[in-house]
Amino acid sequence: MKINLVSHRILLMSSGIWQRGKEEEGVYGFLIEDIRKEVNRASKLKCCVCKKNGASIGCVAPRCKRSYHFPCGLQRECIFQFTGNFASFCWHHRPVQIIASNNYGDSLPCTICLEFVEPIPTYNVLRSPCCKNAWFHRECLQVQAINAGMFFFRCTICNNSDVFQKEMLRMGIHIPEKDASWELEENAYQELLQHYEHCDVRRCRCKEGRDYNAPDSKWEIKRCQCCGSSGTHLACSSLRSWEQNWECLECRTIIYNSGDFQKAKKHTLVSANNVGITDCLLEESSPKLPRQSPGSQRKDVLRQGNKYRKDISTILTELAFQIKKKPRRICINKDDIWNSALEGFRNQKFNPVYTIEVTYINENDHFGRDYPGSKQEFLSLLMLHLENSPLFEGSLSKNLSLNSQALKENLYFEAGKMVAISLVHGGPSLGFFSKTLFNCLAYGPENTQPILEDVLDFEVAQIIIRINTATNMSDLNSIINEYCNYFELIGCLRIVTSLSDKYVLVKDILFYQVIKRVQAPFESFKQGLKTLGVLEKIQTYPEVFCDIFCHKPENLSAKILSDLFTVHTLSDVQALNFWNSYLKAVEDGKSTTTMEDILNFATGCNSIPPAGFKPTPSIECLHMDFPVGNKCSNCLTLPITTTYKEFQENMDFAIGNTLRLEKEKSSHYIGP
């Protein structure tokens, strides 16, 4: 049985029941046995409005014996206070606003809808307690309270919230404990994510026009670092790289006139003898700061990012503002996740900013039937295939491999694109990147130093170990002579004059073997990761993204799983008690099932995605023998049994066999 908003309010206002349990127990803290007792009590009470039984709400005024239904009370203009003890007042004893004197001769506008009201406090007309010239319709106030929530509901004139909310609660306005509706609206701030892409310099040299933007080339558009609302092609302002600072004409003029520019070295253009100071500032790169190496620039970005550190869910939520409610269906064969996903993402009609709808198909089904699938399950399976694909090499911490066929088919780009789409659309943490690979993405290959553990080739690793352990020049020269052809081939052959030169040689070998050798796959993967702006966020918040790229999620506990699943329906109390006992048994190792198995059975995911689950996982109880997991709605249906032993056996059997069959099916296919 669904518990809607009205039913919840009836429970809050009923005179013979109170919340004896925790919020997650029973129905929002109202225990099932208490609800049954209250229903029995109310069945004997007659409503003084409609004259029917079941009137569970009574007036709290002393010696007042009026009882009524919640809808009947609203009809007769009773006041229900959604605060404190949730008191209810009949139409004779309801609180009123006391106005000392009425100095208003004419009607005044409601400050919300602007329609005129008589400035006399009644049930339907209320006055602000902090602004005496602010009047409202009750209906207007209630609508505003529902939309604004506790955090934004305030006086429309003076913006006061404490005094205003206290008075409105007294007068029966319900103020929900939630965020404002405009904060929860999808794509409400999508325009803030739009990047300015137009070249505004006086002489644009791009033949394709001022709106042409080609990333990673001299025709990439760089935005003003001060205002962000003006731009320039790198070549049009003689910028050597995207990392250089640049300000537009207006911002540079302000900086120059403020006096901060006076100490900076003046720059002149070779062919600009008669050009004014503002023209020079517009055409040149910024002389405001000394030139920095790419490494120091990256460190500055990191330091700035730490000042405004965000958690990963907030960052991914911001990126998700780009996603439009326009659904795009992709057909996925679970026996061939990689190829079907590749086909779907390469389809001309597919757009990463559209909502993804997954449909599972089976090529062996002669009837051509398809089934709705879980997007988060699909993304989890896809990332698992990607982790075990030949595109990466290594055991736990992986680097990109050099696969000529994959490079020819542009699979590294597609892999980067898949990772970006997965993160923004609610996919799982990756957790298999090496620190070296991640640092190359976040800070650039030139600022990354590989380690011996990154080298998968056994022979190369032995060469590095022998060089490192050389104790004299004779041993070092012997190793260099032995592998002279190899060092010459990889461009690391050098003359050594001291034993300390071995460290430089090792550094060069590591850089070639781990980074330079896979430069083409890395650049292709990096381009794919730019999808939906993910790479830019990684480089802005590297420490935050490192956790989900390089570390597996923490192990699930009974408390985490219990808090994750919510009870949306009036469920069987005994089954819920069995559920909590079952989680504890799984945590203590008394079951063949794991916490990850339970989550996978219900949602298709082995861990909680960084962006969270949508929809929120829920639980319901039905009279059936075995549990059922609905991965599309993230709903776990628990069986109602007479004993806990039967409950545990049925849970273990259903979850274990379901996951075993799914693993057997997926094991028949090996990724790209």
Side-chain angles (χ1 to χ4, degrees):
M1 182 176 69
K2 297 289 184 180
I3 300 297
N4 56 29
L5 182 60
V6 174
S7 301
H8 183 218
R9 292 184 179 180
I10 292 174
L11 287 175
L12 292 173
M13 291 299 164
S14 295
S15 303
I17 189 173
W18 61 94
Q19 291 170 295
R20 294 195 302 119
K22 297 180 181 178
E23 191 70 15
E24 64 271 14
E25 293 181 294
V27 181
Y28 300 107
F30 293 98
L31 302 183
I32 305 302
E33 55 267 31
D34 292 342
I35 295 176
R36 289 175 178 148
K37 291 179 182 179
E38 179 61 6
V39 171
N40 184 54
R41 184 190 72 87
S43 64
K44 304 172 185 177
L45 298 176
K46 184 174 293 186
C47 175
C48 60
V49 179
C50 69
K51 309 304 180 183
K52 295 180 181 179
N53 291 339
S56 62
I57 305 173
C59 178
V60 299
R63 294 185 295 277
C64 182
K65 298 182 180 180
R66 291 186 179 90
S67 296
Y68 34 84
H69 300 107
F70 184 80
C72 295
L74 291 176
Q75 179 184 342
R76 285 302 304 269
E77 300 182 349
C78 297
I79 281 185
F80 304 96
Q81 294 180 344
F82 293 91
T83 183
N85 294 325
F86 294 89
S88 169
F89 299 88
C90 70
W91 52 94
H92 280 299
H93 300 108
R94 68 191 181 203
V96 295
Q97 288 185 304
I98 306 300
I99 306 298
S101 60
N102 185 5
N103 297 323
Y104 305 100
D106 300 323
S107 298
L108 293 175
C110 167
T111 58
I112 297 177
C113 70
L114 301 182
E115 291 185 5
F116 284 90
V117 299
E118 290 297 325
I120 300 173
T122 62
Y123 175 82
N124 292 312
V125 177
L126 299 175
R127 191 184 75 163
S128 171
C130 42
C131 296
K132 297 182 179 180
N133 60 340
W135 295 80
F136 315 90
H137 292 109
R138 174 180 288 272
E139 291 183 359
C140 295
L141 272 175
Q142 187 58 76
V143 171
Q144 185 191 38
I146 294 296
N147 288 324
M150 180 174 290
F151 303 105
F152 291 89
F153 183 57
R154 57 197 64 185
C155 177
T156 55
I157 302 297
C158 68
N159 227 23
N160 178 281
S161 60
D162 295 337
V163 176
F164 186 79
Q165 286 190 17
K166 185 177 180 180
E167 175 66 1
M168 294 305 115
L169 287 170
R170 186 180 77 90
M171 297 306 298
I173 299 299
H174 177 223
I175 310 173
E177 294 185 15
K178 70 177 187 65
D179 210 342
S181 58
W182 55 85
E183 295 288 336
L184 302 175
E185 183 182 351
E186 292 189 22
N187 301 326
Y189 307 101
Q190 185 174 357
E191 66 274 9
L192 299 180
L193 298 174
Q194 296 178 355
H195 292 169
Y196 186 86
E197 293 184 351
H198 183 79
C199 181
D200 297 293
V201 299
R202 185 164 54 87
R203 295 189 299 273
C204 178
R205 301 166 185 166
C206 181
K207 296 181 179 179
E208 301 293 333
R210 292 182 176 271
D211 293 324
Y212 180 73
N213 182 27
D216 296 328
S217 73
K218 65 179 181 179
W219 302 121
E220 181 173 4
I221 291 180
K222 168 83 174 178
R223 294 182 297 278
C224 172
Q225 67 169 355
C226 295
C227 67
S229 59
S230 294
T232 177
H233 291 113
L234 299 183
C236 295
S237 292
S238 302
L239 299 177
R240 295 183 179 180
S241 73
W242 193 88
E243 303 290 343
Q244 283 185 261
N245 297 321
W246 181 83
E247 297 94 8
C248 65
L249 171 62
E250 290 78 12
C251 294
R252 295 289 296 279
T253 303
I254 294 172
I255 295 172
Y256 181 83
N257 293 333
S258 68
D260 295 337
F261 232 54
Q262 302 303 322
K263 296 180 181 179
K265 182 179 178 180
K266 294 184 178 180
H267 288 234
T268 57
L269 294 175
V270 176
S271 60
N273 298 327
N274 299 320
V275 180
I277 182 66
T278 54
D279 289 330
C280 290
L281 296 179
L282 181 62
E283 296 294 333
E284 291 186 283
S285 59
S286 171
K288 177 183 177 183
L289 297 175
R291 289 189 180 272
Q292 297 176 306
S293 65
S296 61
Q297 289 178 349
R298 290 288 185 185
K299 291 177 182 177
D300 286 343
V301 171
L302 179 58
R303 282 194 292 268
Q304 293 170 6
N306 286 335
K307 290 162 55 177
Y308 306 101
R309 185 181 177 93
K310 300 182 179 180
D311 59 71
I312 187 64
S313 61
T314 302
I315 297 171
L316 295 179
T317 299
E318 291 174 354
L319 288 174
F321 283 144
Q322 305 171 77
I323 301 175
K324 302 176 182 178
K325 289 185 178 180
K326 193 173 183 180
R328 279 290 180 270
R329 187 178 70 166
I330 55 175
C331 297
I332 299 298
N333 182 359
K334 292 181 73 172
D335 296 334
D336 192 358
I337 285 284
W338 172 264
N339 286 324
S340 54
L342 197 63
E343 181 180 354
F345 288 164
R346 282 178 168 175
N347 191 299
Q348 291 183 350
K349 295 183 179 180
F350 177 80
N351 191 325
V353 301
Y354 292 156
T355 302
I356 296 176
E357 285 188 354
V358 176
T359 298
Y360 287 142
I361 59 174
N362 189 343
E363 294 179 352
N364 297 324
D365 190 339
H366 301 293
F367 296 99
R369 291 170 296 189
D370 52 30
Y371 307 91
S374 163
K375 178 180 66 175
Q376 288 180 310
E377 179 192 30
F378 156 64
L379 294 175
S380 295
L381 292 173
L382 181 60
M383 292 301 104
L384 181 61
H385 276 282
L386 186 62
E387 179 180 356
N388 298 316
S389 73
L391 299 178
F392 295 89
E393 60 182 17
S395 54
L396 297 177
S397 298
K398 298 177 181 287
N399 289 298
L400 289 171
S401 65
L402 182 57
N403 188 315
S404 58
Q405 185 62 31
L407 193 61
K408 183 179 179 180
E409 296 177 7
N410 205 25
L411 294 184
Y412 289 100
F413 171 84
E414 297 295 341
K417 178 181 175 182
M418 288 177 181
V419 170
I421 291 174
S422 175
L423 288 175
V424 179
H425 284 264
S429 299
L430 285 88
F432 64 87
F433 278 37
S434 71
K435 285 289 185 65
T436 299
L437 175 55
F438 179 80
N439 289 340
C440 286
L441 292 169
Y443 308 111
E446 68 278 5
N447 300 309
T448 303
Q449 180 56 52
I451 58 176
L452 182 60
E453 286 74 10
D454 293 320
V455 179
L456 196 63
D457 190 306
F458 179 78
E459 292 185 4
V460 176
Q462 290 301 309
I463 295 174
I464 294 174
I465 293 173
R466 287 183 61 186
I467 296 174
N468 262 330
T469 56
T471 57
N472 53 61
M473 286 296 297
S474 176
D475 290 343
L476 182 58
N477 283 319
S478 175
I479 298 170
I480 293 175
N481 291 332
E482 183 179 353
Y483 298 102
C484 178
N485 292 335
Y486 168 72
F487 293 147
E488 184 177 6
L489 178 65
I490 66 175
C492 295
L493 185 62
R494 60 172 58 246
I495 299 175
V496 294
T497 58
S498 65
L499 191 60
S500 60
D501 289 342
K502 69 178 184 178
Y503 301 113
V504 180
L505 180 58
V506 166
K507 183 178 179 181
D508 290 344
I509 297 173
L510 284 171
F511 188 84
Y512 170 81
Q513 187 68 23
V514 180
I515 295 179
K516 189 175 181 179
R517 184 176 63 92
V518 294
Q519 183 176 359
F522 173 78
E523 290 299 328
S524 181
F525 182 80
K526 180 181 173 183
Q527 290 299 319
L529 204 56
K530 288 184 177 181
T531 304
L532 296 172
V534 171
L535 180 62
E536 183 179 355
K537 289 294 185 182
I538 292 174
Q539 294 174 344
T540 306
Y541 304 100
E543 291 181 341
V544 181
F545 277 91
C546 183
D547 291 337
I548 64 172
F549 273 85
C550 302
H551 304 289
K552 291 293 184 181
E554 63 176 358
N555 293 329
L556 297 172
S557 65
K559 185 179 187 311
I560 291 175
L561 219 56
S562 178
D563 293 341
L564 180 65
F565 285 87
T566 59
V567 182
H568 289 312
T569 59
L570 188 60
S571 299
D572 185 88
V573 176
Q574 181 173 269
L576 293 178
N577 290 333
F578 287 168
W579 161 250
N580 291 324
S581 300
Y582 181 68
L583 290 180
K584 184 62 178 174
V586 172
E587 186 177 50
D588 294 340
K590 299 178 181 178
S591 169
T592 57
T593 306
T594 66
M595 294 292 178
E596 287 71 24
D597 290 340
I598 298 173
L599 186 64
N600 193 347
F601 180 77
T603 67
C605 303
N606 290 319
S607 61
I608 301 175
F613 281 106
K614 292 181 181 179
T616 302
S618 61
I619 283 178
E620 62 182 10
C621 304
L622 292 177
H623 288 281
M624 53 175 56
D625 293 331
F626 298 99
V628 175
N630 188 337
K631 298 176 182 179
C632 293
S633 60
N634 296 330
C635 180
L636 175 62
T637 302
L638 301 177
I640 297 179
T641 59
T642 55
T643 65
Y644 171 72
K645 182 180 179 182
E646 183 184 2
F647 181 89
Q648 179 175 347
E649 289 176 351
N650 291 356
M651 292 288 289
D652 286 346
F653 178 82
I655 294 175
N657 280 278
T658 300
L659 297 182
R660 178 180 58 81
L661 290 174
E662 290 180 352
K663 288 179 181 178
E664 288 177 356
K665 287 183 179 180
S666 62
S667 64
H668 296 305
Y669 170 72
I670 300 177

